[in-house]
Amino acid sequence: MNIELTQVSRWYGNVVAVNDVTMTIGPGVTGLLGPNGAGKSTLLHMMAGFLAPSTGTATLEGRPIWRNHQIYRSIGLVPEREAVYGFLTGWQFVLSSARLHRLPSPEDAAAKALAMVEMEGAKDRRIETYSKGMRQRVKVAAALVHEPQVLLLDEPFNGMDPRQRLHLMDLVTELGAAGRTILFSSHILEEVERVAQQIEVLVAGRHAASGDFREIRRRMTDRPHLFRVRSSDDRRLAAALIADASSGAVSLSEAGLEVQAVDFRRFTWLLPRVARDAGVTVWQLSPADEDLESVFSYLISRSTR
Amino acid sequence: MNAVVAGITYRAVLGRRRVLLLILLPLVLLGLAVLLRAVGSTDERAVVTLMQVYAIGTMLPLLGLIAGTGTIAPEIDDGTIMHLLSKPISRPVIAVTKFAVSASLLAVFAAVPTFVAGYLLLRGEAGIAAGFALGALIGGIAYSAVFLLLGVITRHAVTIGVVYAVVWESLVGGLVPGARNFSIQQWAQTFAGQLTSTDFFKPTVTMGFAVPAVLIVTIGAVVWAGQRLRVLSLTGDE
Amino acid sequence: MSEAVPAPAPAQPIGVIHDIGYRHYEGARLGRGHAFAALTLHSLRGVFGLGRTARAKIMPFVLFGVMMLPAAVSIAAMALIQRQAMTYPSYAVVMQPVLAVFLAAQSPYLVAPDLRFRVLPLYLSRPIATADYVAAKLAAMAAALFLLIAVPLTTLYIGELLVDLPGPPHSGEYFAALATSVVFAVLLACAGVALASFTPRRGLGVAAVIAVYLLASAISGVLVGVFESISRDEAAAWAWLINPFFLVDAVQVWLFGTPPNNDGGYPPGVGGPVAAAGVLAIIALSVAALLLRYRKAASS
């Protein structure tokens, strides 16, 4: 199932939280990435039917999401706020979710969902005695109880310990591989990088980038690239490279050379020639900052400039 | 009406410190009734005073405030309402269910004790026990609807409810005769007057006004609350 | 990490602490007294919504305006028809619903958010003790209530002096009412804050405080009505004291000899001292409850 946003904006008074965003979230795992205050929650709330777009439309398979409670048959929502009914046990909470969905056999569905998040052991304790990570897992179980085609998670990994985090990541990956549409928001790059095939980057309310993050990185040719070079004579190569305007900075260490290329295209053209002319053999050339973090900090610095 | 929503709501309202207030107020009514019996003051006039000033004038609006806002305002406040709203249940159904929970609580904690206190003092004399119990029941229904609506439309439901109950109903209603027409307390007394036959009690609002007023206010408030719930946006703390 | 990146292992572990411009505070530290004063002032401002959102200012200022109304009307009456419309000793008693609503609406603000968001340990990690915290909150609420009563009283008095009614000004009554307003402020603040501190939910706190006031006032009203109807006037006179506002009024009558503001007066003889003892008992009980409550809250 696809969630489609078409030219969606949302403002609160004079503050624009989401600005003219058009995106389609399809099957698989999508990460919604952005710094705090970028409008991730606002966007997610509009996809979940808890907020009306000020302009534009948000639809699920062509059906409008706002003021349409039928969409919850296909959507599971894990809200960010920790609050759940503390006086219910985990079992009662997930069971109530199954009953509210009018599932044919709510007990079986609840047991299955609790097993999926490995919460069978603590299911008979009241939720107020749970740790943050356990609450998060129970919320995930309640959202999964009706096996929704679409799962929306707002900062799902917050407050989980590393083992629980890995477990939930695996679960999300599995569900995505099974063809469900999964969207989760996060400001932690490592999480997104690890789970999501597709990222949507939101910066200051604007849809800054979308797609596979390596692909996004490749498109950003107007920024300095950092390369690691190992060669037969690093010092000599460094001297030769810095002489050209395409290198911004070159640093030399025991691990090799780090070159900041200001002009990407010229640098890739230049390096082999410079090495040949200097009589240096290049053993290894690798991009040093191809991870999501550097992509992200680039996007942020560009839009706030 | 939805049984799961009702079950969760009952547990939320009755499971916390809120229930202490729900019990304390009718207990005081019964205590006062016992006291009046002990000092031998069981004439109609004294009992009407007790019913008018305490049962209808103080206990009912307070219980309405606690039960009516308590069924929904805390859940909106801390975001737990999301659990109910993110389900394929129409939001007006949720509002109606919450209203029914609050009204049933008021029947138990306000109307029943009112009848018991009246019966303790007068038995069936002049229909005072039954009359005021009916008044408390009808008033409780109207208060439930109004305070539920307040709980949905504002984060300061209790404070505004207090101002309505204390300032409008007691002060303005007491001083400005015309304002009495727009007071749930007065409507409750009108219904009470239908069953009573005593010289010491004369409701100021006519039945012809009170019946449509209760109907319009109750239905209007519940419907409005349901519509507001459909467009409820939950954004952060405070 | 992307697969294209080989991890070049550094020869030695490298650690860097960046200088991000953090500076130590090297000035004088002002200590407990100042911390107490700061918390009191902050809380007092907060009660009137200062330093909070515009919406938080509506309630306190509307109620303040309502408190000023009788003073304004009375000054106008003195100027136009040369008569006092409102006497000083009756001011707080007549305006009791307004004071009660103010107390109910604002005392949960003082204590509930700190409990709800569990920030008490943050306060207590400063040179401030549990008792200081409680005292600061009480002082702030008492000061707010005192202002709420004393400002209209003083306005009225200045008005009376300016209008210059025939006969001497009612200075005695003014100062008696001013002294009594201190009693009102302390009693109401202690009771209101103590009640509000038992729940971290603001709404329930508001309901609890107003419920206790309405309860006391209704019980008192019912009993007075009933006792008067069976001509037991002395019992009725005692029943008035269940309402905290008439309790303080009885103290005022006893101390300053002002006319009582209820119908029928208070119990003669021991009535005054008993009322004063009642006021002190409520204050002591509330403060004890608060200290107990916060000893528990501070450790959780």
Side-chain angles (χ1 to χ4, degrees), chain C residues 61-163:
Chain C
F61 279 95
V62 165
L63 291 174
F64 187 77
V66 174
M67 282 302 287
M68 291 298 288
L69 266 182
V73 170
S74 191
I75 291 172
M78 286 189 289
L80 297 175
I81 54 172
Q82 301 286 306
R83 281 227 328 258
Q84 254 195 321
M86 187 100 161
T87 66
Y88 300 106
S90 69
Y91 209 101
V93 180
V94 171
M95 298 306 282
Q96 55 173 287
V98 182
L99 290 170
V101 169
F102 183 87
L103 184 71
Q106 302 308 120
S107 31
Y109 156 75
L110 281 178
V111 287
D114 288 352
L115 289 170
R116 183 162 170 198
F117 301 115
R118 297 177 190 274
V119 291
L120 216 58
L122 294 181
Y123 281 110
L124 299 180
S125 65
R126 301 288 179 275
I128 215 169
T130 315
D132 295 340
Y133 177 85
V134 170
K137 294 291 175 179
L138 288 179
M141 194 68 215
L145 287 165
F146 177 74
L147 286 175
L148 206 60
I149 307 173
V151 170
L153 280 179
T154 307
T155 312
L156 187 55
Y157 184 60
I158 293 171
E160 189 189 342
L161 294 182
L162 289 179
V163 168

Side-chain angles (χ1 to χ4, degrees), chain B residues 16-18 21 24-25 28 32 35-36 39-41 43 45-47 49-50 53-54 58 62 65-66 73-75 77-78 154-156 158-160 162-163 165-167 170-171 237-238, chain C residues 55 59 63 94 97-98 101 104-106 113 116-117 197-204 206-208 210-215 217-219 221-223 225-230 232 293 296:
Chain B
R16 304 191 191 170
R17 287 180 191 154
R18 214 164 277 276
L21 277 174
L24 176 71
L25 289 158
V28 169
L32 283 171
L35 189 70
L36 289 198
V39 299
S41 162
D43 61 309
R45 189 169 142 197
V47 180
T49 308
L50 175 70
V53 174
Y54 186 82
T58 304
L62 275 176
L65 187 67
I66 295 160
E75 282 181 63
D77 213 31
D78 62 18
T154 164
R155 290 279 173 101
H156 300 275
V158 178
T159 310
I160 293 170
V162 163
V163 171
V166 177
V167 177
S170 309
L171 275 185
D237 269 314
E238 299 294 286
Chain C
R55 219 188 291 171
M59 201 65 186
L63 291 174
V94 171
V98 182
V101 169
Q106 302 308 120
R116 183 162 170 198
F117 301 115
S197 76
F198 277 89
T199 167
R201 287 186 178 274
R202 210 181 42 202
L204 191 54
V206 173
I210 203 70
V212 168
Y213 162 70
L214 288 180
L215 213 59
S217 120
I219 294 175
V222 167
L223 290 181
V226 168
F227 286 133
E228 278 177 355
S229 73
I230 52 173
R232 289 173 63 170
R293 169 80 176 103
K296 214 178 99 193

